[in-house]
Amino acid sequence: MTEEVQKHSVHTLVFRSLKRTHDMFVADHAKSIALDEDSHKLKMAVKLKSDYSPVLHMPVLKEVKSHHPDGFHGNDAYMQPVDDPEYLITGTHAYPSGPGVALTADTKVHRNPSESGIQSMALALPPSQARQESSRTAATVAEIRRGAERAHAQSTALLLLEGGGTRNSNLLRRAPTMPKPQWHPPWKLFRVISGHLGWVRSIAVEPGNQWFVTGSADRTIKIWDLASGKLKLSLTGHISTVRGVAVSSRSPYLFSCGEDKQVKCWDLEYNKVIRHYHGHLSAVYDLDLHPTIDVLMTCSRDATARVWDIRTKANVHTLTGHTNTVATVRCQAAEPQVITGSHDSTIRLWDLIAGKTRATLTNHKKSVRTLVMHPRQYTFASGSADNIKQWMFPDGNFIQNLSGHNAIINTLAVNSDGVLVSGADNGTIHMWDWRTGYNFQRIHAAVQPGSLDSESGIFACVFDHSESRLITAEADKTIKVYKEDDTATQESHPVNWKPEILKRKRF
């Protein structure tokens, strides 16, 4: 019985209420609202004062009163019906005086010449003078009326916009303005470090900014002094290319991963491996450390990303959903805490607590090989062979494209000053202004002597913690260090701003 009452209340009572409302208003549906004379006169007086106050000082316009098609009745004191369709105006030419033009004693009120009078005057003048005078002579009465109607339409559109109307808002839409990019000094090659016997695939700078670590295809991990560029230590243990390295800021540990499916934890006090993290079924391409908790993220060619407890070596989560190699992983303290990019051309934002996908970004058309997060803003960028895209956390809202680096982009880095660096397979480095997407510098450094020209790829790049040095890992087995040109000024290196470079909101 209770179910019948509920069904009756939903299907019948609501319908009856709608029918009563319809019957209440159906009789007046086609009727127009009655015109209130007092309010109409007040409205027209306000309109005259606001729209036509600059010309109210002019003589009274004499014209045949006619009913306006839009229902505009006019002002009875201003529109006076007369038999003569011509009207009186002021000025030396047959045009109304403009706003601010004072009438003097020399200015006479004269009758607008008829069209036949203008034609006879033009025939009496020499041909050249006739052409000049005809260009300066007033328009006909019909043309003046058409001009007044156009002015009325424009003023109506302005009134609608000022009053909050949206019907004619597209009439006065402003053209999009391109923000001018911030000036950044150019970067120059500062040092070339040699020592690896294979491609240098990964870089990490330690939190104290004293040294940095590189992993290479020669299966070694090398630690270098940041100030001098000298080799401090070599670590061996991997049996294939070392694809990722990371230095912990919470403990004296170094983490590495490679194409041998291994993830290792090195104790830097003893320079030995103290933990292995087993679970990936194929080559491990990247890793990252959580900034606030003892958790390690890795991603692999087995199309998964894994979350490890550093101390217990437990596999907390296996993040599944990508359909191809997961090439890069990044994590942060804020939500979403884990972001992955894959060769299936998607980016996934993960819920670390549940171990599930929070959002999937499908804008890229090619493999996503690198991700980078802005150190101060709540934004990140992704690099692919089609272009670089910027996104807004937490839901991955698209910001803009950075187009122009036409190569396979392997790595991205960004500093607090808003300099975004992209490194590609063909050995080119592009410098971008983060806010506007302006490409202010392009670098193609020469390869190490003895290397093939084809061995000029950039596999990884990173800023040191002072953000005054840029370190790149390259295919010619070298590590290159760049710094800003201290002698450069904005006058010697101006921003050659080209708005067509910026292509916003294009997926």
Side-chain angles (χ1 to χ4, degrees), residues 423-435:
D425 250 8
N426 59 2
T428 58
I429 300 173
H430 284 206
M431 304 282 191
W432 311 81
D433 179 59
W434 178 273
R435 183 175 61 90

Side-chain angles (χ1 to χ4, degrees), residues 98-141:
V101 177
L103 298 178
T104 64
D106 298 332
T107 307
K108 296 180 180 179
V109 176
H110 62 87
R111 184 171 295 277
N112 191 46
S114 63
E115 294 187 23
S116 59
I118 294 173
Q119 294 293 334
S120 61
M121 185 186 301
L123 289 173
L125 293 171
S128 60
Q129 190 177 353
R131 281 195 295 271
Q132 295 173 4
E133 290 295 330
S134 63
S135 65
R136 270 181 290 167
T137 306
T140 61
V141 174

Side-chain angles (χ1 to χ4, degrees), residues 6-22:
Q6 290 178 350
K7 185 176 181 180
H8 180 71
S9 63
V10 171
H11 292 284
T12 307
L13 295 181
V14 171
F15 177 76
R16 288 176 181 174
S17 177
L18 290 173
K19 189 174 185 303
R20 281 197 298 269
T21 307
H22 177 267

Side-chain angles (χ1 to χ4, degrees), residues 59-97:
V60 176
L61 174 69
K62 295 181 181 179
E63 193 169 323
V64 177
K65 183 177 181 179
S66 59
H67 184 71
H68 196 277
D70 293 336
F72 177 76
H73 299 285
N75 187 285
D76 294 337
Y78 191 73
M79 307 281 286
Q80 297 181 359
V82 293
D83 296 332
D84 190 359
E86 296 180 350
Y87 54 91
L88 300 177
I89 55 177
T90 62
T92 55
H93 291 284
Y95 281 116
S97 302

Side-chain angles (χ1 to χ4, degrees), residues 436-457:
T436 61
Y438 174 65
N439 180 207
F440 68 89
Q441 189 181 7
R442 300 181 181 186
I443 302 172
H444 193 172
V447 297
Q448 184 182 26
S451 302
L452 299 173
D453 285 338
S454 59
E455 292 184 324
S456 61

